[in-house]
Amino acid sequence: MADTKKEDFVHGDLDRLRHSAAHILAQAVKRLFPNAKLGMGPAIKDGFYYDFEVERNFTEEDLVKIEQVMNEIIASGYAFERDEMDKSAAVDFFRQRGESYKCEIIQGIPDSKVSIYKDGEFIDLCRGPHVQKSSEVKAVKLLSIAGAYWRGSEQNKMLQRIYGTAFASRKELDEHVRNLEEAKKRDHRKLGRELDLFSFHEESPGSVFFHAKGYFIYNTLIEFMREKLRGGGYREVQAPMVLSDELWKRSGHYEHFKEAMYFTKQEEREFAVKPMNCPGHVLIYGSQQHSYRELPLRIAEFGRVHRYEKSGVTHGLLRVRSFTQDDAHHFCMVEQLESEIKSLIELTKDVYQAFGFNEYSVAVSTRPPKAMGSDEIWNQATAALKSALESFSIPYEIHEGEGAFYGPKIDFVIFDSLRRPWQCGTIQVDFSMPERFELEYIGSDGNRHRPVMVHRAIYGSLERFLGILIEHYGGAFPLWLAPVQVLIATISEKQEGFAKEVQGRLLKAGLRSELDIRPEKIGYKIREAETQKIPYVAVIGDREAESRTLAVRGRGRKDLGALDVEGFIKRVQDETQSRR
């Protein structure tokens, strides 16, 4: 049966085709491995998978054979035929076939009847929909094998999961496969090792160890955002990392987030390592009396948080247990809410454009089943988010029931250079936490009023955003982000003195450079600089030392010719400052 969880299945012609391809995969496996037991086989983002219980693990050679049989099934043009069965009859039917997982699924379905689909000799439990004939699946490819616990629980049996993808044409499939190969080259974990940016160690699982070059980029991201904070009138603060569990109970995080939190006990008191920064900012706001004249009050923090993630789901920089958020909270009056949201939308767009993320999608997420606050304040907050987006003519989707437990939100999904989507920025309206902490301001009428709180992050997690940037740029960072901007490479030891003089002038000008005076051939030095993706290589031979010039090469083997030192320094400074 296809997995029908919302995060796995999206509607549309391509997803219907991939859903059908998952059935064809299961049909091919049953032909080659008759004793295989069927699990689930959904369409997912960019493809499909199907889970199987088999007597031995699948191999890469098996994938080749399975894909061949899939193409035979596709060529046969079997019709996908839907039928319905009573639940009890369906359980008997699949039990006779030895399909215990299907029986378990059926028993959990609340309806009195279930639907099945038949194509050729293959019958599967499924809600559909499917293409009309197997021949409509024009291009299919199996990609990988992985282990997967039945229904995602470690308490259940480990099954074999085969991933694949399918398209309506061979051209689209070939383009997708090329992008997958390019994505492998750009894998931030691979480039992180090769470029000496970061590492991971079992001494602190799921947490990143930044090396000098990676930490430079990390800090440059912070400094870039600090420029934006100064221009936006923010007050940067720092709250403690360990706070009383009573605070988290009052904020609501204990109830909604306890399983992901780290706890400790000292002097008979329970404490928690903060998973979020907002309660600390609430305490800072509440430590003083505020007037309406001070609002909106914008508090920002590059706050390190810790959230427990199971070992199996941590993934390089993209999903870690310890990370830093570019967090900010706006405390404002209700009548200021929409204008604050508008200013945040403008800031978010501005930041993304600086990194070349010129395309993004937007969604408004509404009240989840388990949430704080009344329907009235949720409706008011949701309306403000929608109105702000509409004022910019920004199209948006509605994600019903996917808001935070304390309020609705806008989520920004950026698209990288390979057109892959990444959810990063968020703007969240919160009437509930100011109520819980009894926050106030003195209004123009002299009375006490409750402010509204707006949560926002643009990078989201700095670690994750850096991982996205590594893959977006393929490790070839723009000059202003590159840890090493210029490599000065000598042809022989005779140029060492001038090379050191040039490096001194570059460093004095605030440019980041390294010196390569090793007794290696210049071609080797240049190739190594290309591998390290250094933007500029300044070659110095006898001619350059004599004329006191540099033979400059740009990244990608671009020969820029001979440049005088001051002219080269100005070029690099201008390019750095412009953030091109």
Side-chain angles (χ1 to χ4, degrees):
M1 180 181 181
D3 188 348
T4 55
K5 292 185 295 182
K6 183 171 183 180
E7 63 266 31
D8 281 339
F9 193 85
V10 289
H11 298 288
D13 293 341
L14 187 56
D15 299 290
R16 183 161 52 247
L17 182 144
R18 288 171 174 166
H19 187 193
S20 304
H23 275 240
I24 294 169
L25 165 59
Q27 185 175 2
V29 168
K30 290 292 282 186
R31 284 189 183 181
L32 292 169
F33 303 89
N35 294 327
K37 291 185 177 181
L38 304 176
M40 291 183 176
I44 57 172
K45 178 179 166 290
D46 290 336
F48 61 88
Y49 69 76
Y50 212 112
D51 292 339
F52 305 92
E53 181 186 323
V54 285
E55 296 170 354
R56 63 166 176 80
N57 290 346
F58 290 123
T59 64
E60 292 297 327
E61 291 76 16
D62 291 331
L63 286 193
V64 174
K65 294 176 183 176
I66 294 167
E67 191 175 305
Q68 288 173 346
V69 176
M70 289 180 70
N71 284 317
E72 292 171 7
I73 294 168
I74 290 168
S76 298
Y78 294 122
F80 279 90
E81 301 173 358
R82 185 182 184 277
D83 199 359
E84 288 188 348
M85 299 178 72
D86 289 331
K87 279 178 63 174
S88 58
V91 169
D92 290 341
F93 177 81
F94 284 102
R95 183 178 291 124
Q96 291 171 13
R97 290 173 165 246
E99 300 291 0
S100 55
Y101 297 107
K102 298 297 180 183
C103 295
E104 182 181 328
I105 294 170
I106 294 167
Q107 289 164 348
I109 295 174
D111 304 326
S112 60
K113 291 181 178 291
V114 297
S115 61
I116 61 172
Y117 276 84
K118 179 179 184 293
D119 57 296
E121 80 287 0
F122 183 69
I123 299 176
D124 200 359
L125 174 73
C126 186
R127 287 200 300 191
H130 287 286
V131 295
Q132 292 186 352
K133 293 182 179 180
S134 60
S135 54
E136 293 180 38
V137 182
K138 301 293 184 183
V140 66
K141 185 171 181 60
L142 299 184
L143 301 172
S144 61
I145 310 160
Y149 291 108
W150 169 239
R151 291 194 153 171
S153 172
E154 296 175 4
Q155 307 302 315
N156 294 333
K157 189 176 182 65
M158 175 74 77
L159 305 182
Q160 291 288 296
R161 175 171 293 178
I162 297 178
Y163 285 97
T165 192
F167 287 87
S169 72
R170 174 59 58 177
K171 180 181 178 182
E172 291 173 292
L173 175 61
D174 290 344
E175 183 179 351
H176 180 73
V177 171
R178 281 195 298 272
N179 282 342
L180 290 177
E181 290 303 316
E182 182 62 27
K184 287 180 184 178
K185 296 176 188 175
R186 292 168 177 252
D187 189 316
H188 74 281
R189 296 165 298 179
K190 170 179 173 289
L191 290 173
R193 292 190 300 271
E194 293 174 355
L195 302 179
D196 192 27
L197 302 179
F198 57 84
S199 59
F200 289 89
H201 302 276
E202 278 305 307
E203 287 77 3
S204 184
S207 299
V208 61
F209 288 72
F210 277 113
H211 300 193
K213 292 178 180 178
Y215 197 51
F216 166 82
I217 302 171
Y218 173 94
N219 282 321
T220 303
L221 292 175
I222 289 177
E223 286 306 313
F224 172 71
M225 189 62 74
R226 278 200 173 113
E227 287 182 25
K228 303 296 182 183
L229 297 183
R230 286 191 286 270
Y234 284 86
R235 304 178 185 184
E236 188 176 344
V237 303
Q238 185 181 74
M241 195 172 292
V242 180
L243 301 105
S244 162
D245 67 340
E246 290 301 320
L247 173 71
W248 303 106
K249 290 175 181 176
R250 188 177 182 184
S251 70
H253 290 94
Y254 190 92
E255 177 185 357
H256 295 270
F257 219 72
K258 180 182 178 182
E259 300 304 316
M261 294 172 67
Y262 291 90
F263 292 92
T264 185
K265 187 174 183 178
Q266 297 291 337
E267 297 179 349
E268 303 304 313
R269 289 187 68 189
E270 293 282 351
F271 293 87
V273 181
K274 67 176 180 181
M276 294 181 182
N277 298 299
C278 29
H281 294 185
V282 167
L283 293 182
I284 290 172
Y285 177 92
S287 66
Q288 296 177 335
Q289 181 172 288
H290 297 279
S291 162
Y292 73 96
R293 293 186 177 88
E294 298 175 66
L295 303 185
L297 180 64
R298 299 161 182 165
I299 296 177
E301 179 180 7
F302 296 97
R304 178 155 294 278
V305 298
H306 290 72
R307 299 178 188 176
Y308 173 68
E309 299 276 9
K310 292 182 179 179
S311 300
V313 299
T314 55
H315 181 78
L317 297 178
L318 302 180
R319 194 159 183 175
V320 289
R321 292 175 175 171
S322 173
F323 56 93
T324 299
Q325 290 181 308
D326 65 314
D327 228 343
H329 296 91
H330 294 210
F331 298 89
C332 63
M333 297 182 284
V334 173
E335 53 267 35
Q336 296 171 322
L337 179 58
E338 188 171 330
S339 64
E340 284 301 284
I341 295 169
K342 288 179 181 178
S343 72
L344 288 174
I345 292 171
E346 287 183 313
L347 175 61
T348 302
K349 290 167 58 182
D350 184 43
V351 169
Y352 290 156
Q353 286 171 357
F355 297 98
F357 298 120
N358 298 314
E359 187 180 353
Y360 50 85
S361 64
V362 177
V364 174
S365 297
T366 62
R367 181 174 186 152
K370 194 175 182 183
M372 300 190 308
S374 68
D375 289 341
E376 181 183 358
I377 61 174
W378 271 84
N379 292 338
Q380 189 176 5
T382 305
L385 294 174
K386 291 179 179 178
S387 179
L389 288 170
E390 289 163 4
S391 71
F392 289 100
S393 300
I394 296 176
Y396 59 88
E397 297 178 357
I398 297 292
H399 290 175
E400 295 289 352
E402 294 187 11
F405 68 86
Y406 47 76
K409 60 179 180 171
I410 296 173
D411 286 324
F412 290 84
V413 174
I414 58 178
F415 293 88
D416 70 10
S417 55
L418 296 182
R419 297 277 305 134
R420 295 174 300 176
W422 303 93
Q423 197 279 312
C424 289
T426 187
I427 301 170
Q428 305 173 354
V429 179
D430 185 354
F431 287 94
S432 298
M433 204 171 294
E435 188 71 34
R436 284 187 170 228
F437 284 87
E438 300 177 343
L439 301 184
E440 296 177 336
Y441 68 89
I442 305 301
S444 58
D445 59 1
N447 296 323
R448 297 179 183 273
H449 300 271
R450 193 78 72 212
V452 184
M453 183 176 178
V454 182
H455 308 243
R456 81 102 177 99
I458 298 176
Y459 294 147
S461 151
L462 264 77
E463 284 76 2
R464 184 170 179 270
F465 194 76
L466 176 53
I468 294 167
L469 286 181
I470 292 170
E471 300 199 5
H472 176 56
Y473 297 129
F477 292 99
L479 192 67
W480 70 280
L481 277 176
V484 179
Q485 295 175 307
V486 182
L487 178 73
I488 305 163
T490 56
I491 292 177
S492 72
E493 63 182 12
K494 291 186 293 182
Q495 299 94 39
E496 185 175 326
F498 181 52
K500 288 181 177 178
E501 178 191 332
V502 170
Q503 187 187 33
R505 291 170 69 178
L506 288 169
L507 294 174
K508 188 175 180 180
L511 303 178
R512 302 179 293 279
S513 68
E514 287 185 352
L515 193 62
D516 190 344
I517 55 177
R518 296 174 298 168
E520 301 284 354
K521 291 183 177 180
I522 191 63
Y524 175 80
K525 294 179 181 181
I526 291 171
R527 287 193 299 274
E528 196 171 69
E530 283 288 330
T531 300
Q532 287 297 301
K533 305 183 187 298
I534 297 173
Y536 288 110
V537 179
V539 177
I540 300 176
D542 286 340
R543 181 171 56 187
E544 288 76 27
E546 191 174 319
S547 63
R548 299 184 67 77
T549 59
L550 305 170
V552 180
R553 298 173 64 92
R555 187 167 50 203
R557 304 186 182 278
K558 297 174 184 174
D559 188 354
L560 303 179
L563 298 175
D564 66 89
V565 179
E566 283 306 313
F568 177 61
I569 287 174
K570 186 174 188 312
R571 177 191 181 115
V572 178
Q573 285 178 325
D574 289 347
E575 188 179 337
T576 301
Q577 290 168 5
S578 69
R579 295 196 175 107
R580 290 196 299 270

